[in-house]
């Protein structure tokens, strides 16, 4: 207090570019409307720089925090974090429902002898998650302040999802071929692409709300809610639907008297979740959303900021990593279970392994939460990558065992079940390690001023990296054998590890300000 320091004239105040930093995985700090380059002094008091023209030196005067202009309402600290976490879990779970249903369709199409080329076409249904950056700035900048920044999009989007899922229930059975007609892959692709578009928009709004919904101390739980919720929703709509849709499973485990057909059809299952979406939309209306005084109002400015963020060197390096890191296991992720059904493994038996995947998908992120809360969450990502490559090799042997076990109904299958159980467990743990650490790193480096757009940018690039590798791998199966494609992808994955390990690890040491366009510009 009372000390003076010399400073160049152009280093007065960064308030023109200062904004509130919302928990990016570093120490909470203080969130002030006005900050000098020094930030806080040793006593935790904020300093406002005042220039004295009398002696040509810059002086500092200590002001109480309360006397500074501090925008309020950016973070809903007055709300109960337990309620907020439960709401986030609900929203992310609902987000996983259309994803799970979409992933169930290839198994239904496999029964109709649909080619792998057509399966590759249907795999494009999830493309909206890979290009949602195109409209993410609109979601962040266009809203009604009366309704709420995020609720302005969540309410109509979820209502529209409910209408689409309930209204299209009869046509879906026709498109899937359950009425005796040939499956219409293109119509199914168009329908689920629209559903994915709606869910991608919901994801943008939820990601942005998650950054401000939780208190500073618990903002890291947003990535856990994302991972657990999406996994749970996917499990319910994928495993749950396949089990309830299968006649053999229902008669053996769920019915006292055997009947023809499953307990649900795709249309009835989809209609049920449509009503759940409708009820959840009503519940969201009662959730208070704090006003955000620092939101970018101009959509043009939002798009310009996205362009500038893409020009940042750390973002460019990380984008290359996200676009290429799945090249070693895109084939395994997209085609293994399709090959199992081709070799005679019933969908019901494949579904028996799915509950384990669902449980691990929920438990693993929770168990790993302490490992991703530090300054280097991507260490877990790098540990999971070689495990995924090893799983790919193990899956190749699993297909060999499946072909031998199901060559005859009398062949023993116990060893195949045990081996598959081991492979599925290892795969799910490795996948959760990579996904959870990615989400934690996104939350750490994202700029809260851009709301959900920054998170959406990184998620979009990651989804695009997963989409192109899987689609190309499935398409190539019509021309090359699974084993040859697996050998090529494994070699490429090993090369990626050698070349990309150091770059990925070094990005964690990059100062957070270098990930934010405004801070980088202010520094210059």
């Amino acid at each position: 207090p009372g000390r003076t320091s010399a400073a160049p004239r152009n280093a007065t105040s960064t308030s023109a570019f200062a904004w509130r930093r919302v928990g990016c995985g570093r120490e909470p700090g203080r969130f002030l409307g006005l900050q000098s380059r020094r930030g806080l002094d040793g006593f935790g008091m904020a300093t406002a720089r005042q220039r004295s023209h009398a002696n040509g030196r810059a002086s500092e005067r200590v002001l109480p925090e309360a006397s500074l202009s501090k925008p309020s309402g950016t973070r809903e600290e007055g709300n109960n974090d337990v309620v907020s976490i439960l709401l986030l879990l609900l929203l992310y779970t609902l987000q996983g429902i259309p994803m799970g249903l979409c992933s169930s369709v290839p198994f239904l199409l496999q029964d109709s002898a649909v080619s792998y080329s057509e399966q590759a076409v249907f795999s494009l249904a999830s493309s909206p998650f890979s290009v949602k950056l195109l409209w993410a700035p609109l979601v962040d900048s266009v809203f009604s302040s009366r309704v709420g920044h995020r609720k302005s999009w969540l309410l109509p989007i979820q209502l529209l999802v409910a209408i689409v899922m309930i209204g299209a229930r009869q046509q879906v059975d026709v498109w899937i071929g359950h009425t005796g007609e040939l499956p219409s892959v293109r119509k199914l692709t168009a329908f689920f692409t629209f559903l994915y578009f709606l869910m991608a928009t919901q994801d943008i709004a939820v990601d942005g709300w998650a950054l401000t919904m939780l208190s500073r101390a618990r903002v890291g739980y947003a990535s856990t809610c994302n991972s657990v919720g999406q996994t749970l929703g996917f499990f319910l709509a994928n495993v749950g639907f396949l089990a309830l849709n299968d006649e053999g499973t229902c008669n053996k485990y769920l019915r006292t008297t055997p009947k023809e057909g499953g307990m649900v059809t795709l249309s009835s299952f989809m209609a049920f979740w449509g009503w759940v979406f409708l009820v959840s939309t009503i519940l969201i209306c009662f959730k208070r959303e704090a006003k955000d005084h620092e939101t970018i109002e101009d959509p043009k400015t939002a798009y310009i900021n996205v362009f500038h963020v893409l020009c940042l060197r750390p973002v460019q390096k990380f984008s290359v990593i996200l676009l290429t890191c799945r090249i070693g296991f895109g084939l395994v992720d997209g085609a293994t279970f399709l090959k199992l059904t081709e070799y005679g493994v019933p969908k019901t038996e494949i579904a028996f392994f799915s509950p384990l995947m669902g449980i691990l998908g929920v438990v693993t992120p929770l168990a790993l939460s302490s490992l991703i809360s530090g300054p280097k969450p991507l260490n877990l990502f790098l540990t999971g990558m070689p495990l995924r490559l090893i799983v790919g090799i193990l899956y190749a042997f699993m297909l060999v065992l499946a072909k031998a076990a199901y060559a005859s109904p009398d062949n023993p299958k116990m060893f195949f079940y045990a081996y598959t159980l081991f492979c599925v467990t290892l795969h799910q743990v490795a996948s959760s390690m990579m996904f959870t650490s990615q989400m934690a790193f996104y939350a750490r480096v994202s700029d809260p001023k851009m709301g959900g757009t920054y998170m959406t940018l990184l998620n979009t690039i990651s989804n695009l990296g997963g989409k192109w590798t899987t689609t190309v791998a499935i398409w190539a199966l019509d021309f090359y054998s699974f084993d040859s494609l697996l050998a090529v992808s494994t070699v490429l994955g090993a090369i990626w590890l050698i070349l990309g390990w150091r770059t990925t690890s070094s990005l964690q040491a990059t100062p957070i300000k270098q990930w934010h366009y405004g801070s980088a510009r202010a520094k210059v």
Side-chain angles (χ1 to χ4, degrees):
R3 60 183 175 175
T4 59
S5 60
R9 190 170 186 82
N10 62 354
T12 55
S13 173
T14 61
S15 59
F17 305 104
W19 55 74
R20 211 180 293 191
R21 291 175 54 201
V22 181
C24 295
R26 301 181 74 113
E27 61 274 11
R30 291 288 187 180
F31 298 79
L32 306 175
L34 180 64
Q35 289 184 332
S36 67
R37 288 187 187 274
R38 294 184 180 181
L40 300 177
D41 65 5
F43 299 95
M45 303 292 288
T47 60
R49 190 181 301 269
Q50 292 183 326
R51 183 166 302 280
S52 173
H53 296 284
N55 56 16
R57 305 178 73 183
S59 64
E60 290 182 345
R61 179 165 58 93
V62 176
L63 299 177
E65 282 186 39
S67 67
L68 295 177
S69 172
K70 182 170 68 172
S72 60
T74 308
R75 188 179 291 277
E76 301 176 18
E77 295 183 86
N79 290 352
N80 191 330
D81 274 342
V82 175
V83 175
S84 298
I85 289 174
L86 290 176
L87 178 59
L88 286 176
L89 282 173
L90 172 63
L91 293 174
Y92 282 123
T93 299
L94 292 176
Q95 195 178 113
I97 297 300
M99 300 178 187
L101 285 174
C102 186
S103 297
S104 301
V105 171
F107 291 101
L108 302 179
L109 294 176
Q110 193 81 348
D111 293 338
S112 302
V114 172
S115 68
Y116 282 113
S117 297
E118 289 183 293
Q119 292 276 22
V121 170
F122 182 77
S123 71
L124 297 174
S126 59
S127 296
F129 263 84
S130 302
V131 296
K132 61 182 178 178
L133 181 64
L134 296 177
W135 63 93
L138 291 176
V139 178
D140 270 335
S141 57
V142 179
F143 61 93
S144 169
S145 57
R146 188 172 184 178
V147 177
H149 189 174
R150 309 302 171 185
K151 288 168 65 175
S152 296
W153 290 89
L154 276 177
L155 294 177
I157 287 296
Q158 296 222 154
L159 181 62
L160 186 56
V161 171
I163 293 174
V164 169
M165 294 182 75
I166 296 173
R169 61 186 185 277
Q170 294 180 344
Q171 289 297 322
V172 169
D173 278 341
V174 177
W175 298 334
I176 203 69
H178 285 172
T179 58
E181 302 178 7
L182 291 176
S184 178
V185 176
R186 296 188 181 276
K187 290 182 179 179
L188 281 172
T189 303
F191 174 75
F192 279 98
T193 300
F194 182 61
L195 268 184
Y196 257 95
F197 166 75
L198 296 177
M199 286 296 93
T201 307
Q202 189 248 32
D203 183 60
I204 298 169
V206 175
D207 282 347
W209 199 3
L211 290 175
T212 58
M213 185 186 295
L214 299 174
S215 64
R216 297 171 191 147
R218 296 181 176 86
V219 69
Y221 284 99
S223 62
T224 303
C225 292
N226 187 319
S227 180
V228 172
Q230 282 192 7
T231 301
L232 180 60
F234 186 93
F235 172 79
L236 292 173
N238 182 261
V239 179
F241 167 71
L242 289 176
L244 294 175
N245 178 256
D246 183 75
E247 177 182 334
T249 302
C250 293
N251 288 337
K252 187 174 182 179
Y253 299 103
L254 302 176
R255 288 172 174 158
T256 56
T257 303
K259 295 181 180 179
E260 184 178 351
M263 298 179 69
V264 298
T265 61
L266 180 61
S267 59
S268 63
F269 192 85
M270 192 170 65
F272 168 79
W273 284 105
W275 287 107
V276 174
F277 267 95
L278 184 61
V279 173
S280 67
T281 305
I282 298 174
L283 294 177
I284 295 173
C285 294
F286 296 98
K287 172 63 176 175
R288 173 184 170 274
E289 182 180 355
K291 293 183 179 180
D292 191 344
H293 299 287
E294 299 176 349
T295 303
I296 299 174
E297 299 286 350
D298 183 13
K300 180 180 178 181
T301 303
Y303 280 102
I304 291 175
N305 284 346
V306 169
F307 172 77
H308 285 304
V309 168
L310 285 171
C311 292
L312 296 176
R313 187 63 175 167
V315 175
Q316 291 176 347
K317 289 182 179 180
F318 196 43
S319 297
V320 174
I321 290 171
L322 293 176
L323 286 172
T324 58
C325 66
R326 289 176 175 80
I327 195 170
F329 37 82
L331 174 71
V332 173
D333 290 349
T336 300
F337 287 102
L338 292 178
K339 295 297 290 185
L340 285 177
T341 58
E342 179 183 324
Y343 291 158
V345 182
K347 296 192 297 292
T348 54
E349 295 188 13
I350 296 176
F352 287 146
F353 296 103
S354 297
L356 174 65
M357 297 174 65
I359 294 172
L360 290 173
V362 173
V363 174
T364 305
L366 295 175
L368 298 174
S369 59
S370 61
L371 299 178
I372 61 174
S373 58
K376 296 183 177 181
L378 288 183
N379 286 353
L380 198 63
F381 174 88
L382 292 173
T383 303
M385 280 208 64
L387 289 179
R388 294 283 292 272
L389 294 178
I390 293 173
V391 167
I393 299 174
L394 295 177
Y395 269 13
F397 287 104
M398 182 180 71
L399 292 179
V400 174
L401 293 175
K403 197 170 186 179
Y406 288 88
S408 171
D410 299 328
N411 289 346
K413 301 177 178 60
M414 187 57 64
F415 181 73
F416 166 74
Y417 292 152
Y419 184 81
T420 303
L421 182 65
F422 170 74
C423 292
V424 167
T425 301
L426 188 60
H427 176 269
Q428 189 60 42
V429 170
S431 299
S432 297
M433 289 171 65
M434 293 187 65
F435 178 75
T436 307
S437 59
Q438 275 183 239
M439 295 304 299
F441 188 71
Y442 296 167
R444 178 174 179 261
V445 301
S446 292
D447 181 1
K449 183 188 177 185
M450 297 180 64
T453 303
Y454 204 116
M455 290 277 285
T456 298
L457 168 63
L458 299 178
N459 273 314
T460 297
I461 297 171
S462 177
N463 290 331
L464 187 60
K467 178 51 59 181
W468 80 264
T469 52
T470 301
T471 300
V472 170
I474 295 176
W475 172 82
L477 281 174
D478 273 339
F479 308 98
Y480 305 97
S481 67
F482 184 91
D483 292 339
S484 60
L485 290 175
L486 178 62
V488 172
S489 62
T490 302
V491 171
L492 291 176
I495 295 174
W496 190 99
L497 272 176
I498 297 172
L499 299 178
W501 185 288
R502 179 174 296 182
T503 302
T504 305
S505 182
S506 64
L507 283 174
Q508 301 180 103
T510 304
I512 295 296
K513 288 185 177 181
Q514 294 187 23
W515 294 84
H516 298 175
Y517 161 64
S519 292
R521 184 173 64 176
K523 185 177 180 180
V524 174

